[in-house]
Amino acid sequence: MILEHADIRIDPARAAEFEEAILRGVQTVIAGARGFRGYKVNRSMESPGRYLLMIWWETLEDHTVGFRGSEAFTRWRAIVGPFFVQPPVVEHLELVGKS
């Protein structure tokens, strides 16, 4: 399983609106994608307007090829993209250890 980690920056004045949009977008668009296994959204306590979106995918290609190459990605970006003050920093991680 692969973890997609997206560091998202928005205008803090739009936080409530963004939170509704990101949750709606994940639940209605991303959750239907092949290989989607779950998600988590966290808001920074020290940096207003900073969010971490973590999505678990079955394979890297499920995200980078399947989802990003689909019409669903366009719908996703239409929902959350208007909130971004800069492009999100996205990385993919593999689990090394867990307790």
Side-chain angles (χ1 to χ4, degrees):
M1 192 157 348
I2 301 298
L3 173 62
E4 171 196 357
H5 177 279
D7 188 337
I8 300 170
R9 309 298 172 109
I10 66 154
D11 176 351
R14 299 186 69 196
E17 184 183 3
F18 172 72
E19 289 175 16
E20 184 278 325
I22 194 168
L23 296 175
R24 177 174 38 86
V26 171
Q27 294 166 0
T28 64
V29 178
I30 298 177
R34 178 179 179 195
F36 172 83
R37 295 295 177 255
Y39 78 99
K40 182 167 78 168
V41 179
N42 289 85
R43 174 182 49 229
S44 174
M45 296 174 73
E46 288 79 23
S47 302
R50 181 178 183 207
Y51 290 80
L52 296 179
L53 169 62
M54 290 155 276
I55 301 176
W56 286 267
W57 297 94
E58 191 63 37
T59 69
L60 178 62
E61 292 75 19
D62 284 336
H63 176 236
T64 60
V65 177
F67 179 68
R68 281 210 168 166
S70 73
E71 184 272 330
F73 181 72
T74 303
R75 290 193 340 248
W76 161 249
R77 287 306 288 254
I79 294 169
V80 296
F83 293 95
F84 299 161
V85 295
Q86 65 190 49
V89 176
V90 177
E91 295 183 325
H92 298 90
L93 302 110
E94 294 178 287
L95 182 64
V96 175
K98 181 179 175 181
S99 66

